Amino acid sequence: MRKTPVVSLRAFLALLLGLLVVIALGFAANTLWQNWQLARKVQLLVERNRIADDCLQAVANFAFERGRTNIILRGASPISPENRQFIDERRRAADRHIASALEKLPASAVGRGEAVRKAWEEIGVRRSEADHDMVLPLDRRNPQLPKKWMADSDRLIDRVETLLVTVSGMTGDVDATFDRLAGLRVLALHFRILVGKQSSLVGALLSSGQVPNAEALATIREIRGGIDQLWPLLESSAEVLKDAAVFQSASWAQSRVFWTLRPLQDDILLFAEMRKPTSVTLDHYLKAAVEALDATVALADAINRRADSYAQRLLDRVRWQIAASASIIVGVLVLCGFVVWRFRRRFTQPLNDVMRHIDALLKSQSGVSGALSLVDERDEIGTVQRALEMLDEVIAVRMHTEKALRESEAVNSSILACAPQAIISTDLNGVITAFS
């Protein structure tokens, strides 16, 4: 005996179709979710990159202020209007970028931000003291102020650099290329700091006209050693990036730092050790130093622009993937609606018509009437099989009846043919149906 299925064929096909749709939607939704999470990470990366840019600009501008202030504090002459304007412009730019970076900091970098804020407040006190002393003759200035100024300046730069490293390390596992760019950016900033510090110390020697002591010379040589170690790394990394702007900035920085500024520094140090006046003037040196520092800033900016451009391209690609995933989901839903419509039109409605005819056939054969259906809605195949079996029986009975009728007609025909008398057969209306 055939077992009645739990669900109908139509329900089974509908469940199968629904399962396929759910699987397709699941894959599309999972892809959409992953791209959405990646977009959030990349957006976070872009925001961190903006903070890093503020850190770079803050250090670059403050380093100019630090170096020029140190030279003037150690020099014999009071500050000139040109130097005053230069320091004020750099100071305002540095303060603006520091404030912007602190405002954008995430919660995980608040500790680093507070350290920067504290150093920033301390440097504000030193700025007031430096502004007071720079307008005075050398003999009326605080002799300890230049050391305090450099110590506090180095502390602020160090903390901003630490903040930059911290923020650059918050990119997560988004992309290894951006991590390399962030590391290279920190390297360029450190190179800029060392070049600025060395140029400031040498410029202070030139401005004061004093003979450098052994400690000052050792500090300058140590800084120069750090510059010489960092430059090959920067140069090779710039070549690996294959970025025209970064390569040109690196070439410009090399020419200004090593081919223009360094010979002047060597000349100043040599004549200072020989206790002889050098032919290099302070204005000439400051111009070369500013050009060299501008070149190092341009190199860091070029790397930062490359990182920002890369992050933006990555964000655009992820957004495109999100749009594609959403389009796939919409496409699956539209296709599902079309398949359901076709399923209903090409299968469900014809099957319902067949079931109604079979039900009418079953009722006519069994003599049952009324609205109660004899069709089992859960077993369309079984119902069709029963209808086919009934049809076989009807056909077999009809064929047997037809055979018997043909045999009877054959007997009647033989009787009529053999009868000696004329035989005429009529129906109730008098119509002749047979005769001999």
Side-chain angles (χ1 to χ4, degrees):
M1 182 177 180
R2 187 176 181 274
K3 185 177 180 180
T4 303
V6 179
V7 295
S8 65
L9 177 62
R10 285 169 291 180
F12 174 76
L13 293 177
L15 288 175
L16 181 61
L17 177 62
L19 179 61
L20 294 176
V21 171
V22 169
I23 292 175
L25 288 176
F27 277 111
N30 181 62
T31 303
L32 178 62
W33 174 254
Q34 291 179 352
N35 287 328
W36 180 261
Q37 293 295 321
L38 182 59
R40 292 181 60 186
K41 291 182 179 180
V42 174
Q43 183 63 43
L44 184 66
L45 183 147
V46 172
E47 294 174 359
R48 300 295 184 268
N49 194 62
R50 291 170 183 167
I51 299 175
D53 180 64
D54 281 325
C55 292
L56 282 173
Q57 298 302 325
V59 170
N61 285 281
F62 181 71
F64 277 113
E65 178 192 357
R66 178 193 65 173
R68 188 62 58 90
T69 301
N70 182 54
I71 292 174
I72 295 172
L73 287 175
R74 297 177 184 272
S77 303
I79 186 171
S80 64
E82 293 78 11
N83 286 327
R84 180 75 268 175
Q85 181 181 1
F86 179 86
I87 291 175
D88 289 341
E89 290 176 353
R90 300 296 182 170
R91 180 180 296 179
R92 285 193 295 268
D95 289 348
R96 183 175 63 253
H97 287 291
I98 291 177
S100 177
L102 295 178
E103 182 181 357
K104 300 173 186 175
L105 280 183
S108 56
V110 170
R112 300 292 187 187
E114 288 301 320
V116 172
R117 192 184 304 277
K118 183 178 179 181
W120 189 21
E121 293 173 354
E122 292 174 353
I123 207 65
V125 177
R126 290 287 176 256
R127 280 172 171 172
S128 300
E129 297 176 359
D131 290 342
H132 176 268
D133 275 23
M134 283 190 295
V135 299
L136 300 176
L138 181 59
D139 57 351
R140 295 178 55 188
R141 299 174 191 168
N142 180 4
Q144 301 300 322
L145 183 57
K147 292 183 179 180
K148 294 180 180 180
W149 167 257
M150 291 300 293
D152 291 344
S153 299
D154 290 343
R155 185 181 303 109
L156 176 60
I157 290 178
D158 179 69
R159 291 183 179 180
V160 175
E161 183 181 9
T162 303
L163 178 62
L164 171 62
V165 174
T166 302
V167 171
S168 299
M170 292 180 177
T171 57
D173 55 350
V174 176
D175 192 87
T177 301
F178 187 85
D179 291 339
R180 289 195 296 270
L181 287 170
L184 182 59
R185 178 172 53 194
V186 173
L187 198 65
L189 175 62
H190 194 56
F191 179 77
R192 163 66 182 81
I193 292 172
L194 292 179
V195 172
K197 192 171 184 179
Q198 183 189 32
S199 64
S200 174
L201 293 176
V202 176
L205 290 178
L206 179 62
S207 176
S208 64
Q210 299 175 357
V211 178
N213 54 35
E215 181 181 359
L217 292 175
T219 302
I220 293 174
R221 292 192 184 98
E222 181 181 357
I223 295 174
R224 174 172 292 190
I227 293 173
D228 293 340
Q229 289 178 354
L230 286 178
W231 177 250
L233 298 176
L234 276 173
E235 189 176 25
S236 59
S237 299
E239 293 176 356
V240 171
L241 286 179
K242 296 181 180 180
D243 186 277
V246 175
F247 184 78
Q248 290 176 359
S249 299
S251 300
W252 184 35
Q254 184 182 36
S255 66
R256 290 293 179 263
V257 173
F258 294 100
W259 302 342
T260 302
L261 181 62
R262 178 160 290 187
L264 297 178
Q265 292 174 341
D266 292 339
D267 187 85
I268 293 170
L269 293 175
L270 176 62
F271 279 89
E273 291 176 352
M274 296 171 56
R275 300 175 182 269
K276 293 182 179 180
T278 177
S279 59
V280 179
T281 63
L282 181 61
D283 290 338
H284 183 200
Y285 177 79
L286 291 178
K287 181 180 178 182
V290 169
E291 290 179 353
L293 295 176
D294 283 338
T296 60
V297 171
L299 175 59
D301 287 343
I303 296 172
N304 191 62
R305 285 194 300 271
R306 171 64 186 275
D308 183 68
S309 175
Y310 183 83
Q312 288 294 338
R313 289 199 305 270
L314 188 62
L315 182 60
D316 292 340
R317 184 168 71 246
V318 172
R319 286 174 176 171
W320 182 89
Q321 292 174 352
I322 289 176
S325 301
S327 300
I328 290 175
I329 292 178
V330 173
V332 170
L333 292 176
V334 172
L335 181 62
C336 176
F338 176 77
V339 170
V340 169
W341 177 76
R342 294 291 295 177
F343 178 77
R344 180 179 177 81
R345 181 180 178 88
R346 304 291 296 177
F347 181 79
T348 302
Q349 290 182 352
L351 184 59
N352 288 335
D353 294 339
V354 171
M355 291 296 104
R356 283 195 296 269
H357 286 296
I358 291 176
D359 182 61
L361 178 62
L362 293 176
K363 287 180 178 179
S364 65
Q365 292 297 322
S366 60
V368 178
S369 61
L372 182 63
S373 176
L374 299 180
V375 174
D376 188 355
E377 297 292 340
R378 297 178 303 169
D379 189 11
E380 291 93 343
I381 301 300
T383 300
V384 173
Q385 185 175 358
R386 286 174 53 196
L388 291 176
E389 292 174 354
M390 182 176 293
L391 183 62
D392 287 341
E393 294 176 359
V394 170
I395 293 174
V397 171
R398 179 171 294 182
M399 292 179 64
H400 180 72
T401 302
E402 290 179 352
K403 181 179 179 182
L405 181 60
R406 286 194 300 270
E407 291 177 352
S408 176
E409 290 178 349
V411 171
N412 293 334
S413 297
S414 62
I415 293 174
L416 291 174
C418 297
Q421 296 87 9
I423 299 175
I424 299 175
S425 176
T426 64
D427 59 11
L428 295 177
N429 296 322
V431 178
I432 299 175
T433 58
F435 64 90
S436 63

